[in-house]
Amino acid sequence: MRRHPGILDRFRHPAQVIVTGFGMAVLIGTALLTLPIATESGESSGWLAALFTATSAVCVTGLVVVDTATHWSVFGESVIAGLIQVGGLGIMTLATLFTVLVAGRLGLRARIFAQAEAKTLSMTDVRHVVRRVVVFSLVCEAIAAVILTGRFLIGYGEPFGRAVYLGVFHAISAFNNAGFALWSDSLMRFVTDPWICLTIATAVIVGGLGFPVVFELLGTWRRPSRWSVLTRVTVGVTVVLLVGGTLLFLAIEWRNPKTLGALDGPGKLLAAFFTAVMPRTAGFNSIDLADMYPTSWLATDLLMFIGGGSAGTAGGIKVTTFGMLAFVIWAEMRGERDVNIGHRRLPEVAQRQAVSISLVSVALVTVSTYLLLALTPYSLDQVLFEVISAFGTVGLSTGITADATPAGHVLLVLLMFIGRTGPVTLGSALALKDRARRYQLPEERVIVG
């Protein structure tokens, strides 16, 4: 008897389900945020503001066209927090967890989908990995929420209920690298408060490392020699970017009276470190980015484009991609046929993926920058900053997001969605099927450079 095709049968590639899942979450979030109850004024925000906010939340970006602190009601802010949580964990991760809880077992197709979202290296342990991801995420958020709640309660005299609300919201936003804040100035009022800034920065770093790296570090942090290539590259590049970014911002902004210049020595160091962490795709800011020097904007552009670790809540092309390209260039400069990292050889397919993701991302950023320049009256450095922030799902802005044209807002929405689902993932989702060539053509050398 011939079986009629179901809904899942229409999606032959896991990436198609992932993209569809994120799209559905955005649509549901948009519908909820258009309700009058979602705003402080009791009037509907309109579909574009709701769509932009829902996409920014699901894609854990943090760019906004309306002030989160004053525009949205408690219901609207709760919807945003829920969308951030869904987007951070991943649609397929949540769907897999529900399948495990309800059915008690996992089908082959569901395991493939979960593997594609969680980027686990084998399908045999997907169910176990998904459970660990969810538990680990909730524990990290709970720890951050407790610290933040205590600080708001004791240090700033917030009522207990309000302190808990602020602590939970910003813990979710930080761990998921979303960057939504419940103050109009983001976290500028806490620029010299290490309890707030370091707690949020730590949550951002842990969430942005990627779950495979975090789990491996938890078990082998005392034995770096046993780390996998993924962990070595992720940790190494992350440390270099954090230290280098901190020193760079200190050097550039040290005497800027509108950013670091007005702070004392420890305050400068804390603010510079916080500013270096946030381009990992978190989106909080403790100094006014609009007052930073253009050279600092360019440095932030680079950090935002690279992003954080794979299989985490961060965006960008990922530090692993950047690290692999660095090793590819180093091997080519030395004339070596193989690309080696430590005592392991990097497969050619991984090298092609790194090159493909990087070039597609550069092309997308370039075209989007050109289009946004045509749609807005802002300068190139401001527009480039905005485009990379949206594509890298960062959420940092020089202050031009809300004033962009409706067409510009739609462009940023598309960039955030593509940045979260990934250029390669989106492209494979649109493909009807994999195409395998069953023959090889004769090789011919081509002049390069």
Side-chain angles (χ1 to χ4, degrees):
M1 182 177 178
R2 185 175 182 179
R3 184 176 63 89
H4 293 287
I7 295 178
L8 285 179
D9 293 315
R10 300 178 182 273
F11 302 95
R12 296 297 183 183
H13 198 287
Q16 292 177 304
V17 179
I18 295 171
V19 172
T20 302
F22 273 92
M24 291 299 297
V26 169
L27 293 178
I28 294 173
T30 301
L32 292 174
L33 292 177
T34 55
L35 298 176
I37 194 177
T39 65
E40 288 284 4
S41 63
E43 299 178 358
S44 176
S45 296
W47 71 271
L48 185 55
L51 173 65
F52 193 101
T53 304
T55 305
S56 184
V58 172
C59 299
V60 291
T61 304
L63 288 175
V64 295
V65 292
V66 293
D67 186 11
T68 306
T70 59
H71 181 82
W72 302 109
S73 65
V74 173
F75 173 81
E77 292 168 356
S78 300
V79 170
I80 292 172
L83 294 175
I84 292 171
Q85 189 74 81
V86 169
L89 289 176
I91 299 297
M92 285 300 99
T93 302
L94 289 176
T96 303
L97 177 65
F98 295 153
T99 302
V100 172
L101 294 177
V102 174
R105 57 193 179 91
L106 202 59
L108 177 60
R109 174 166 296 184
R111 291 171 66 175
I112 294 176
F113 293 156
Q115 180 189 18
E117 170 59 23
K119 295 182 175 65
T120 52
L121 300 180
S122 65
M123 290 194 300
T124 57
D125 59 349
V126 169
R127 183 168 60 183
H128 176 62
V129 167
V130 169
R131 284 174 172 169
R132 292 181 66 189
V133 166
V134 174
V135 172
F136 178 78
S137 300
L138 295 180
V139 168
C140 289
E141 291 172 358
I143 294 174
V146 169
I147 297 174
L148 293 175
T149 298
R151 185 57 178 165
F152 293 137
L153 184 65
I154 299 173
Y156 297 93
E158 294 283 356
F160 180 77
R162 175 67 176 171
V164 172
Y165 180 71
L166 292 174
V168 171
F169 184 95
H170 290 93
I172 293 174
S173 184
F175 180 79
N176 291 287
N177 282 212
F180 280 87
L182 296 182
W183 295 279
S184 299
D185 61 353
S186 188
L187 300 179
M188 290 174 58
R189 64 188 63 193
F190 308 112
V191 61
T192 58
D193 189 332
W195 286 97
I196 301 295
C197 291
L198 292 181
T199 298
I200 288 181
T202 302
V204 168
I205 293 172
V206 174
L209 279 177
F211 297 117
V213 173
V214 170
F215 292 156
E216 184 172 349
L217 288 176
L218 289 176
T220 62
W221 67 274
R222 293 183 178 180
R223 300 182 296 276
S225 60
R226 298 182 58 183
W227 290 358
S228 65
V229 171
L230 173 64
T231 299
R232 291 184 181 186
V233 173
T234 301
V235 173
V237 176
T238 296
V239 171
V240 170
L241 294 180
L242 290 179
V243 174
T246 300
L247 296 177
L248 188 61
F249 288 128
L250 277 174
I252 297 174
E253 300 290 332
W254 184 272
R255 297 185 182 276
N256 186 345
K258 297 181 179 180
T259 56
L260 301 185
L263 305 176
D264 58 12
K268 285 184 172 70
L269 181 59
L270 178 61
F273 174 73
F274 192 83
T275 305
V277 171
M278 293 307 113
R280 291 180 57 79
T281 76
F284 296 103
N285 63 282
S286 62
I287 59 176
D288 193 346
L289 299 182
D291 292 328
M292 291 172 63
Y293 294 131
T295 46
S296 294
W297 285 352
L298 184 59
T300 307
D301 288 340
L302 177 61
L303 293 175
M304 291 191 298
F305 186 77
I306 296 173
S310 299
T313 54
I317 64 170
K318 305 296 188 296
V319 294
T320 46
T321 302
F322 180 77
M324 283 191 293
L325 289 178
F327 279 101
V328 169
I329 294 173
W330 178 246
E332 190 64 28
M333 292 176 61
R334 298 181 63 181
E336 296 180 353
R337 178 179 295 272
D338 297 326
V339 178
N340 301 317
I341 301 178
H343 299 288
R344 294 292 185 270
R345 178 169 55 87
L346 191 65
E348 291 185 3
V349 63
Q351 300 175 41
R352 291 197 302 268
Q353 289 173 349
V355 172
S356 299
I357 290 174
S358 301
L359 291 181
V360 169
S361 300
V362 168
L364 185 61
V365 167
T366 302
V367 172
S368 300
T369 301
Y370 181 85
L371 293 176
L372 197 59
L373 273 174
L375 295 172
T376 62
Y378 302 110
S379 62
L380 174 60
D381 49 3
Q382 289 177 304
V383 170
L384 180 63
F385 192 101
E386 201 79 8
V387 167
I388 296 179
S389 179
F391 170 74
T393 66
V394 180
L396 296 175
S397 176
T398 59
I400 70 174
T401 310
D403 297 328
T405 62
H409 289 159
V410 172
L411 176 61
L412 292 175
V413 165
L414 293 175
L415 277 173
M416 288 187 290
F417 189 83
I418 294 173
R420 176 54 180 157
T421 56
V424 175
T425 300
L426 185 61
S428 61
L430 297 176
L432 295 177
K433 60 181 180 180
D434 296 330
R435 294 175 175 86
R437 179 168 292 180
R438 302 182 182 278
Y439 59 91
Q440 285 185 321
L441 296 175
E443 183 180 280
E444 180 177 345
R445 299 285 294 180
V446 179
I447 298 177
V448 178

